[in-house]
Amino acid sequence: MKHFDSLSEILSKKNIKPSIQRIKILEYMLGCNAHPTVEQIYDGMRTRMHSLSKATIYNTLRTFEEKGLIRVLSLDNTENRYDIITSDHGHFVCQTCKRITDFEMSFDHIHVEQLDDCKINQKDVFYKGVCQKCLQNK
Amino acid sequence: MKHFDSLSEILSKKNIKPSIQRIKILEYMLGCNAHPTVEQIYDGMRTRMHSLSKATIYNTLRTFEEKGLIRVLSLDNTENRYDIITSDHGHFVCQTCKRITDFEMSFDHIHVEQLDDCKINQKDVFYKGVCQKCLQNK
DNA sequence: CTTCTTGCAAAGAGTTTGCAAACAA
DNA sequence: TTGTTTGCAAACTCTTTGCAAGAAG
């Protein structure tokens, strides 16, 4: 199976029609292990795709989110960051360099009795602070 | 000790000069056990305080955040929500009614080795889903 | 007097939307 | 054809900022 086909299949399985733009954006998100902003996606993709509109990126990312392909990280009401959903993990946000690092953690043993009657769709853990690199550069 | 004095003292202890507006906003935040938006604070306070500017609320809340009095919950890049900092707790966000409920949880036993070299200032846990009430109303 | 705070209006940042053209089924 | 997606520009929402007037010490 070719690379391109598999991307296309990921989309189809989620009931997203696989347009070129959507495939390329998915490819970008999978290849990029940061947590890019729309701006970064836009800049990063324009080298290879000349006519791509930010509106399309916004729309595509929203579609992806609705279908459960990505997670939107809204950290401080500035730019959103986007994260391909893989396994359970927490996010560490460096308040200095704004970089986000994933860290492994399982949510299984965090049981909250108080929420037994609610339907829980998503669990997010954010730690905020200063990363090692920025601590050293002070 | 009078009520007003104690509010004023809370601010002074955090090195925030206790202006009328700041005291009133603090009072509102303490009395309100929701997680209000700026709009809600504005509406809620105007009944008792006629000349109050939104800019002042924004500025005050930012000051409060910087001094560690409140926490800003940026959930989806729409309006921010503001939370008086008390003890450790998680937040459950109902995606239907948008209400936020606190739930008790301690972060102590969640140790992440990977982050040992980082300075962690804040830990946030968000669960998102549908609350009991909204599940019933379907 | 000097400094900090308030309130208004304007500016700014990020995101969404309306619509015509392009594309796909 | 018929419906969906794209791309541009304009609109929109929330937040911040500049500045003059006011309050506090």
Side-chain angles (χ1 to χ4, degrees):
Chain A
M1 191 198 298
K2 275 185 296 183
H3 172 57
F4 215 73
D5 286 345
S6 65
L7 290 171
S8 179
E9 247 180 48
I10 293 173
L11 295 176
S12 300
K13 269 184 197 155
K14 294 278 186 180
N15 285 314
I16 304 168
K17 293 198 182 167
S19 71
I20 300 286
Q21 286 84 348
R22 287 169 177 174
I23 289 173
K24 287 290 180 187
I25 290 171
L26 177 63
E27 186 179 37
Y28 183 90
M29 291 302 294
L30 284 168
C32 144
N33 48 8
H35 300 74
T37 63
V38 164
E39 196 65 36
Q40 287 167 342
I41 298 171
Y42 184 64
D43 290 345
M45 290 191 61
R46 282 229 301 187
T47 57
R48 284 190 289 167
M49 241 198 143
H50 275 263
S51 85
L52 175 67
S53 156
K54 264 189 201 174
T56 301
I57 298 177
Y58 277 110
N59 291 334
T60 301
L61 291 171
R62 183 139 51 112
T63 307
F64 284 6
E65 191 202 4
E66 283 164 5
K67 304 291 184 175
L69 264 179
I70 63 169
R71 172 167 301 190
V72 183
L73 308 181
S74 177
L75 294 172
D76 54 0
N77 242 41
T78 64
E79 299 158 288
N80 281 339
R81 317 276 296 247
Y82 298 86
D83 186 29
I84 276 278
I85 292 180
T86 50
S87 58
D88 268 3
H89 61 263
H91 291 107
F92 175 78
V93 186
C94 176
Q95 293 165 322
T96 304
C97 68
K98 310 296 177 199
R99 226 184 297 267
I100 300 176
T101 347
D102 293 344
F103 58 82
E104 282 177 54
M105 66 167 290
S106 141
F107 299 85
D108 299 339
H109 64 286
I110 314 179
H111 175 75
V112 182
E113 212 167 308
Q114 215 175 322
L115 300 178
D116 277 347
D117 297 324
C118 305
K119 178 162 175 286
I120 295 174
N121 295 326
Q122 186 181 330
K123 298 179 179 183
D124 286 318
V125 175
F126 295 107
Y127 282 20
K128 296 180 185 175
V130 186
C131 72
Q132 199 193 356
K133 230 178 213 167
C134 289
L135 283 174
Q136 287 171 347
N137 289 346
K138 267 201 310 202
Chain B
M1 189 198 298
K2 276 184 297 182
H3 173 58
F4 216 72
D5 286 346
S6 66
L7 290 171
S8 178
E9 245 180 50
I10 293 174
L11 296 176
S12 300
K13 268 183 197 157
K14 293 278 186 179
N15 284 313
I16 304 168
K17 293 199 183 165
S19 72
I20 300 287
Q21 285 84 348
R22 287 170 177 172
I23 289 173
K24 286 290 180 188
I25 291 171
L26 177 62
E27 185 179 37
Y28 183 90
M29 291 303 295
L30 285 168
C32 144
N33 47 9
H35 299 75
T37 63
V38 164
E39 196 65 36
Q40 288 166 341
I41 298 171
Y42 184 65
D43 290 345
M45 290 190 61
R46 282 230 299 186
T47 56
R48 284 191 288 167
M49 242 197 140
H50 276 264
S51 87
L52 175 66
S53 155
K54 264 190 200 176
T56 300
I57 299 177
Y58 276 110
N59 291 333
T60 301
L61 291 171
R62 183 139 52 113
T63 307
F64 284 6
E65 190 201 4
E66 283 164 5
K67 304 292 185 174
L69 264 181
I70 62 168
R71 172 167 301 188
V72 182
L73 308 181
S74 178
L75 294 172
D76 54 1
N77 241 40
T78 64
E79 300 158 287
N80 281 338
R81 317 277 296 247
Y82 299 86
D83 187 27
I84 276 278
I85 292 180
T86 51
S87 57
D88 268 4
H89 61 262
H91 291 106
F92 175 78
V93 186
C94 175
Q95 292 165 322
T96 303
C97 68
K98 310 296 178 199
R99 227 184 295 268
I100 301 176
T101 347
D102 294 343
F103 58 81
E104 283 177 54
M105 68 167 288
S106 142
F107 299 84
D108 299 339
H109 64 286
I110 314 178
H111 175 75
V112 183
E113 212 168 307
Q114 215 174 321
L115 300 178
D116 278 348
D117 297 323
C118 305
K119 178 163 176 286
I120 295 175
N121 295 326
Q122 185 181 331
K123 298 179 179 182
D124 286 316
V125 175
F126 296 107
Y127 282 19
K128 296 180 187 177
V130 185
C131 72
Q132 200 193 354
K133 230 178 214 167
C134 289
L135 282 175
Q136 288 171 348
N137 290 345
K138 266 201 310 201

